[in-house]
Amino acid sequence: MYLFATISFVFLCLRLIIAVLNFLTRPTNFASSLPEENPRVSILIPVRNEEHNLPALLESLSKLTYPDYEVVVCNDHSTDGTTDILDEFTQQTENFRWFTSEELPAGWLGKNFACHQLAEKAAGDYLLFLDADVHAQPDFLAPLISRAVEAKLSLLSIFPRQVMHSQGEKSTVPLMNWILISLLPLPLVRYSRKPSLAAANGQFMLFEAGNYHENRWHQQVKEENVEDILIMKKMKKTGYRTEVLANFGAVSCRMYSTYREAVEGFSRNIHQYFGGSSAVMFLFWVLTIPGILLALLMLPVTGMLILISEILLLRIIISLHSGQSVWTNLYYHPAQMAALTNIIARNLLGKHKKTVKWKDREIPFG
């Protein structure tokens, strides 16, 4: 038991080292000027029943300061007020247009097929795929395009700053970055070709258009519901330049509004944070919750104080890196650990399911 507690303590130390590395190497000097070639950007948004999120996103995109962009929306047969919102907004805004998705072919998931169609209709030098629950500041685009051009990136993906209002959100949503930033050295996403060192977020995926059209990335993962990470892995394996950023303050997102929504959403695919391995996911849980509790009981007083300090420091560093409230995350840390246990348990128990229902469609579990 003492050995198990020691291993958990060492694992926490390693996670803290990775989090510190990611914090110290995070980009802070984004260029504010446009690149000389001033590439055209196509902002591509797949939507299905997004009447609550879509107006805020479209309004924010209509205020962009970037000089050359278009917004194209694929309406995937929405049954709520999405169509009326699109009709009204595109009539008022010249560079906004939308279309209704073709019928979903066999072997495709809805979002992947919508993204595939959007890319075919895009005219930009860069293709930016956004989810409907994202919100952007007027000046967000120029520094990211400059970064992609200067670094010759084929893909730049961002984990937006997460907006959280309810207790349920604060108990669940921060777990995403708490896992990512403490396990994956983010600079290696850019500098290593190993597919295992991959992360991406489908909420924000910026592709160089020539590369995308040549490879048809969403078609390559048409049956996968965790398309973002799989695309990143394929691109790294091929040798294309990619990068992922854990926080960019000018882009925000409210993923979920309740505890139940968040647990259901995360439990579908949390194992993908661990390379798709349920065993690795379970081992992570064992070392980070039961193992840490055991270490607190078994270590001498000095070791216990060091362990508590590391837990707090890890939480503080990741909160700062993610643009989240330090005090809120410290307060909700026990609730977040309980939520993580619930999410992982639901994921493991749900393995027998072939499909789950998501936005009125059956999709593969995990």
Side-chain angles (χ1 to χ4, degrees):
M1 297 295 285
Y2 186 79
L3 177 61
F4 176 50
T6 302
I7 293 172
S8 298
F9 177 81
V10 172
F11 183 58
L12 177 63
C13 293
L14 292 174
R15 292 179 62 215
L16 181 58
I17 291 171
I18 292 173
V20 170
L21 171 68
N22 284 332
F23 183 75
L24 294 178
T25 58
R26 73 196 190 285
T28 56
N29 56 339
F30 290 94
S32 58
S33 58
L34 293 170
E36 291 183 5
E37 52 264 49
N38 192 22
R40 180 171 176 79
V41 179
S42 295
I43 301 175
L44 309 175
I45 309 168
V47 299
R48 180 175 171 85
N49 296 336
E50 294 286 359
E51 65 179 358
H52 297 297
N53 292 317
L54 194 56
L57 172 60
L58 295 178
E59 184 65 27
S60 70
L61 294 178
S62 70
K63 299 176 181 178
L64 296 187
T65 57
Y66 194 82
D68 191 7
Y69 73 98
E70 64 171 353
V71 176
V72 188
V73 181
C74 176
N75 183 7
D76 188 8
H77 303 281
S78 297
T79 57
D80 62 358
T82 295
T83 301
D84 294 335
I85 292 169
L86 289 170
D87 272 334
E88 181 179 354
F89 202 91
T90 53
Q91 289 174 8
Q92 302 170 0
T93 315
E94 184 176 347
N95 59 332
F96 284 59
R97 54 192 171 95
W98 73 278
F99 64 94
T100 299
S101 172
E102 298 176 12
E103 290 297 326
L104 186 64
W108 282 84
L109 291 187
K111 181 181 179 181
N112 295 336
F113 186 53
C115 290
H116 177 72
Q117 294 174 86
L118 284 162
E120 290 186 327
K121 295 181 182 295
D125 302 302
Y126 281 86
L127 310 181
L128 173 56
F129 293 92
L130 292 180
D131 279 358
D133 51 9
V134 169
H135 186 275
Q137 297 297 320
D139 58 351
F140 92 97
L141 200 49
L144 295 178
I145 294 298
S146 294
R147 186 171 187 84
V149 171
E150 291 169 6
K152 298 180 180 179
L153 298 176
S154 296
L155 170 61
L156 172 61
S157 184
I158 287 177
F159 284 76
R161 177 177 56 83
Q162 296 299 321
V163 177
M164 296 165 281
H165 299 305
S166 69
Q167 293 182 355
E169 295 166 272
K170 296 171 184 177
S171 299
T172 53
V173 173
L175 288 169
M176 179 171 59
N177 280 12
W178 184 76
I179 295 171
L180 171 73
I181 295 174
S182 68
L183 287 185
L184 179 64
L186 295 179
L188 295 184
V189 176
R190 178 173 176 181
Y191 295 112
S192 171
R193 290 185 58 176
K194 290 185 177 180
S196 58
L197 298 171
N201 189 334
Q203 295 170 344
F204 188 111
M205 303 274 280
L206 176 65
F207 293 89
E208 191 276 315
N211 178 280
Y212 185 96
H213 292 310
E214 178 183 352
N215 293 279
R216 297 175 176 266
W217 292 115
H218 284 98
Q219 186 172 11
Q220 290 195 34
V221 295
K222 61 184 181 180
E223 295 180 298
E224 306 291 344
N225 68 350
V226 192
E227 80 291 341
D228 43 13
I229 297 175
L230 294 176
I231 288 174
M232 179 68 81
K233 286 183 176 181
K234 287 177 176 290
M235 295 185 78
K236 286 175 65 65
K237 187 175 182 179
T238 311
Y240 294 122
R241 291 188 178 185
T242 62
E243 186 174 32
V244 63
L245 303 178
N247 176 38
F248 185 72
V251 181
S252 60
C253 173
R254 189 179 185 191
M255 293 181 66
Y256 304 107
S257 59
T258 67
Y259 179 86
R260 181 178 179 179
E261 284 181 4
V263 169
E264 289 180 352
F266 287 134
S267 63
R268 287 187 299 113
N269 52 29
I270 189 173
H271 58 286
Q272 295 294 346
Y273 283 69
F274 305 94
S277 170
S278 297
V280 174
M281 174 186 69
F282 182 71
L283 179 61
F284 173 84
W285 176 82
V286 168
L287 292 175
T288 54
I289 299 181
I292 292 299
L293 292 175
L294 183 63
L296 287 171
L297 294 174
M298 298 193 66
L299 289 174
V301 175
T302 302
M304 182 182 68
L305 292 175
I306 293 174
L307 180 60
I308 292 173
S309 298
E310 289 187 348
I311 293 171
L312 296 176
L313 186 57
L314 181 65
R315 183 79 271 181
I316 291 169
I317 289 173
I318 294 176
S319 297
L320 292 174
H321 193 161
S322 305
Q324 298 171 4
S325 167
V326 171
W327 295 111
T328 299
N329 277 337
L330 288 174
Y331 178 80
Y332 279 94
H333 185 75
Q336 291 171 8
M337 296 305 97
L340 178 63
T341 302
N342 186 13
I343 290 167
I344 289 178
R346 288 171 64 97
N347 178 276
L348 293 172
L349 293 173
K351 286 299 181 182
H352 69 280
K353 299 179 181 178
K354 292 184 178 180
T355 63
V356 294
K357 198 163 188 177
W358 189 254
K359 293 198 173 183
D360 300 321
R361 277 195 179 131
E362 295 291 329
I363 64 172
F365 184 89

